[in-house]
Amino acid sequence: MKLLPMIGHRLSVGVYLLFALFPLYWIIKISVTPDQLLFSQGVTLLPGGFTLGHFQKVLTDSDFPTFFSNSLIVSFSTAFLTTLIAAGAGYAFSRFHFRGKMVMAALLLFTQMFPLVMIIAPIYRVMAPLGLTNSLLGLILIYTAFNVPFATFLMQSFFDAIPKDLEESAMLEGCTRFQALYRVLVPLTLPGMAATLGFVFTAAWSELLF
């Protein structure tokens, strides 16, 4: 009797995987089908022929490698800078009480309420005199500025989940606050940093408006 639920569960997972991965398979199938067969053989589950000419054309006869490398540079740089800044800001919001803390948090939240379309023109007016239009550095700065607020709240939640007693115990043993940060808190928040890094990388990779 226990075997039936297990079979049903695995069958359901298998059906879901087939449904979710079929579009990916269809893209790969079309990419290896020769041009003359794409519109002549009709809809078939398996390709009627095989070719790697499409990949060769994209990689050697187009600017795709440049576009792809630019996207990697912008996305990785944005993710690294945003995670670094957000980790420091999130730690400050989580561990310290200072004047204007709630105002700063409200301002960070307030920045997320504006649609990007509304601020394209002002940002262009700011970036153009600095020579940062049509520039990878300009994109990195803009993406970092827009992702830091959300990433800060994300990192703050990870720091809030770590008891302050661990940090205080390290300082009682002779560590400075900075030593307690990178010896105790940073290893514990590495999963949170990885999650923030992945989120920001995906956001920068998929952003097309700027």
Side-chain angles (χ1 to χ4, degrees), residues 86-110:
Y91 176 76
F93 278 113
S94 175
R95 290 295 190 265
F96 300 118
H97 298 281
F98 50 88
R99 182 179 299 177
K101 176 180 176 180
M102 297 304 298
V103 175
M104 291 181 62
L107 288 176
L108 287 176
L109 183 62
F110 189 65

Short mmCIF file of all heavy atoms in Angstrom, two decimals, residues 86-110:
data_model
loop_
_atom_site.label_atom_id
_atom_site.label_comp_id
_atom_site.label_asym_id
_atom_site.label_seq_id
_atom_site.Cartn_x
_atom_site.Cartn_y
_atom_site.Cartn_z
N ALA A 86 25.17 46.25 0.31
CA ALA A 86 23.98 45.84 1.07
C ALA A 86 24.36 45.09 2.34
O ALA A 86 23.67 45.21 3.37
CB ALA A 86 23.08 44.96 0.20
N ALA A 87 25.46 44.32 2.30
CA ALA A 87 25.90 43.61 3.50
C ALA A 87 26.30 44.60 4.59
O ALA A 87 25.92 44.44 5.76
CB ALA A 87 27.05 42.68 3.16
N GLY A 88 27.05 45.64 4.21
CA GLY A 88 27.43 46.64 5.20
C GLY A 88 26.24 47.43 5.72
O GLY A 88 26.11 47.66 6.93
N ALA A 89 25.35 47.83 4.81
CA ALA A 89 24.18 48.59 5.24
C ALA A 89 23.24 47.73 6.08
O ALA A 89 22.69 48.18 7.09
CB ALA A 89 23.45 49.15 4.02
N GLY A 90 23.04 46.48 5.65
CA GLY A 90 22.17 45.58 6.40
C GLY A 90 22.70 45.31 7.79
O GLY A 90 21.93 45.23 8.76
N TYR A 91 24.02 45.18 7.92
CA TYR A 91 24.63 44.97 9.24
C TYR A 91 24.42 46.20 10.12
O TYR A 91 24.09 46.07 11.31
CB TYR A 91 26.11 44.68 9.08
CG TYR A 91 26.86 44.56 10.38
CD1 TYR A 91 26.75 43.40 11.15
CD2 TYR A 91 27.67 45.60 10.84
CE1 TYR A 91 27.44 43.29 12.36
CE2 TYR A 91 28.35 45.49 12.04
CZ TYR A 91 28.24 44.34 12.80
OH TYR A 91 28.91 44.23 13.98
N ALA A 92 24.59 47.38 9.55
CA ALA A 92 24.39 48.60 10.32
C ALA A 92 22.95 48.74 10.80
O ALA A 92 22.70 49.08 11.96
CB ALA A 92 24.79 49.82 9.48
N PHE A 93 21.98 48.48 9.92
CA PHE A 93 20.58 48.57 10.31
C PHE A 93 20.21 47.51 11.35
O PHE A 93 19.33 47.73 12.18
CB PHE A 93 19.68 48.42 9.09
CG PHE A 93 19.51 49.69 8.30
CD1 PHE A 93 20.02 49.81 7.02
CD2 PHE A 93 18.84 50.78 8.84
CE1 PHE A 93 19.87 50.97 6.29
CE2 PHE A 93 18.68 51.95 8.13
CZ PHE A 93 19.20 52.05 6.84
N SER A 94 20.87 46.36 11.28
CA SER A 94 20.52 45.27 12.18
C SER A 94 21.14 45.42 13.57
O SER A 94 20.52 45.06 14.57
CB SER A 94 20.97 43.94 11.57
OG SER A 94 20.75 42.87 12.46
N ARG A 95 22.35 45.96 13.64
CA ARG A 95 23.09 45.93 14.90
C ARG A 95 23.19 47.27 15.61
O ARG A 95 23.44 47.32 16.80
CB ARG A 95 24.51 45.41 14.63
CG ARG A 95 24.57 43.93 14.27
CD ARG A 95 24.12 43.08 15.45
NE ARG A 95 24.36 41.66 15.25
CZ ARG A 95 23.47 40.79 14.79
NH1 ARG A 95 22.26 41.23 14.48
NH2 ARG A 95 23.77 39.52 14.67
N PHE A 96 23.01 48.38 14.92
CA PHE A 96 23.24 49.69 15.53
C PHE A 96 21.94 50.50 15.61
O PHE A 96 21.06 50.35 14.76
CB PHE A 96 24.29 50.49 14.75
CG PHE A 96 25.62 49.81 14.66
CD1 PHE A 96 26.14 49.44 13.44
CD2 PHE A 96 26.35 49.54 15.80
CE1 PHE A 96 27.37 48.81 13.34
CE2 PHE A 96 27.58 48.92 15.73
CZ PHE A 96 28.09 48.55 14.50
N HIS A 97 21.88 51.34 16.62
CA HIS A 97 20.79 52.30 16.76
C HIS A 97 21.40 53.70 16.63
O HIS A 97 22.27 54.09 17.40
CB HIS A 97 20.10 52.16 18.12
CG HIS A 97 19.46 50.82 18.31
ND1 HIS A 97 18.24 50.49 17.77
CD2 HIS A 97 19.88 49.72 18.99
CE1 HIS A 97 17.93 49.24 18.10
NE2 HIS A 97 18.91 48.76 18.83
N PHE A 98 20.96 54.44 15.64
CA PHE A 98 21.53 55.75 15.39
C PHE A 98 20.42 56.70 14.95
O PHE A 98 19.34 56.28 14.53
CB PHE A 98 22.63 55.69 14.32
CG PHE A 98 22.23 54.96 13.06
CD1 PHE A 98 21.61 55.63 12.01
CD2 PHE A 98 22.46 53.59 12.94
CE1 PHE A 98 21.24 54.96 10.86
CE2 PHE A 98 22.09 52.92 11.78
CZ PHE A 98 21.48 53.60 10.74
N ARG A 99 20.71 57.99 15.06
CA ARG A 99 19.72 59.01 14.72
C ARG A 99 19.42 58.97 13.22
O ARG A 99 20.31 58.91 12.39
CB ARG A 99 20.25 60.39 15.09
CG ARG A 99 19.28 61.53 14.83
CD ARG A 99 19.86 62.85 15.25
NE ARG A 99 20.16 62.86 16.68
CZ ARG A 99 20.75 63.89 17.31
NH1 ARG A 99 21.10 64.96 16.62
NH2 ARG A 99 20.99 63.82 18.61
N GLY A 100 18.15 58.98 12.89
CA GLY A 100 17.72 58.96 11.49
C GLY A 100 17.63 57.57 10.89
O GLY A 100 17.45 57.45 9.67
N LYS A 101 17.74 56.55 11.71
CA LYS A 101 17.71 55.18 11.19
C LYS A 101 16.39 54.89 10.51
O LYS A 101 16.35 54.35 9.38
CB LYS A 101 17.96 54.19 12.33
CG LYS A 101 17.85 52.74 11.92
CD LYS A 101 18.11 51.82 13.11
CE LYS A 101 17.92 50.35 12.74
NZ LYS A 101 18.18 49.45 13.89
N MET A 102 15.28 55.23 11.16
CA MET A 102 13.97 54.94 10.59
C MET A 102 13.71 55.79 9.35
O MET A 102 13.07 55.34 8.39
CB MET A 102 12.88 55.19 11.63
CG MET A 102 12.97 54.28 12.86
SD MET A 102 12.96 52.53 12.41
CE MET A 102 11.36 52.38 11.64
N VAL A 103 14.23 57.02 9.35
CA VAL A 103 14.06 57.89 8.18
C VAL A 103 14.81 57.30 6.99
O VAL A 103 14.29 57.26 5.86
CB VAL A 103 14.55 59.31 8.49
CG1 VAL A 103 14.49 60.18 7.23
CG2 VAL A 103 13.73 59.92 9.61
N MET A 104 16.03 56.84 7.21
CA MET A 104 16.81 56.24 6.13
C MET A 104 16.13 54.99 5.60
O MET A 104 16.08 54.76 4.39
CB MET A 104 18.22 55.92 6.62
CG MET A 104 19.06 57.14 6.92
SD MET A 104 20.74 56.72 7.47
CE MET A 104 21.35 55.85 6.02
N ALA A 105 15.60 54.15 6.51
CA ALA A 105 14.91 52.95 6.08
C ALA A 105 13.66 53.30 5.26
O ALA A 105 13.37 52.65 4.24
CB ALA A 105 14.52 52.11 7.30
N ALA A 106 12.95 54.33 5.70
CA ALA A 106 11.76 54.76 4.96
C ALA A 106 12.14 55.30 3.58
O ALA A 106 11.43 55.05 2.59
CB ALA A 106 11.00 55.82 5.76
N LEU A 107 13.25 56.02 3.49
CA LEU A 107 13.69 56.55 2.19
C LEU A 107 14.10 55.42 1.25
O LEU A 107 13.81 55.47 0.05
CB LEU A 107 14.86 57.52 2.39
CG LEU A 107 14.52 58.88 3.01
CD1 LEU A 107 15.79 59.69 3.24
CD2 LEU A 107 13.56 59.65 2.11
N LEU A 108 14.76 54.42 1.80
CA LEU A 108 15.12 53.26 0.96
C LEU A 108 13.87 52.58 0.43
O LEU A 108 13.81 52.17 -0.74
CB LEU A 108 15.96 52.26 1.78
CG LEU A 108 17.40 52.67 2.09
CD1 LEU A 108 18.07 51.62 2.97
CD2 LEU A 108 18.20 52.86 0.80
N LEU A 109 12.87 52.44 1.29
CA LEU A 109 11.61 51.84 0.86
C LEU A 109 10.90 52.73 -0.14
O LEU A 109 10.29 52.25 -1.11
CB LEU A 109 10.73 51.58 2.08
CG LEU A 109 9.38 50.87 1.81
CD1 LEU A 109 9.62 49.48 1.23
CD2 LEU A 109 8.57 50.79 3.09
N PHE A 110 10.99 54.04 0.07
CA PHE A 110 10.32 54.99 -0.80
C PHE A 110 10.87 54.94 -2.23
O PHE A 110 10.14 55.15 -3.20
CB PHE A 110 10.47 56.40 -0.22
CG PHE A 110 9.64 57.45 -0.90
CD1 PHE A 110 8.26 57.40 -0.85
CD2 PHE A 110 10.25 58.48 -1.59
CE1 PHE A 110 7.49 58.36 -1.48
CE2 PHE A 110 9.49 59.46 -2.22
CZ PHE A 110 8.10 59.40 -2.17
#
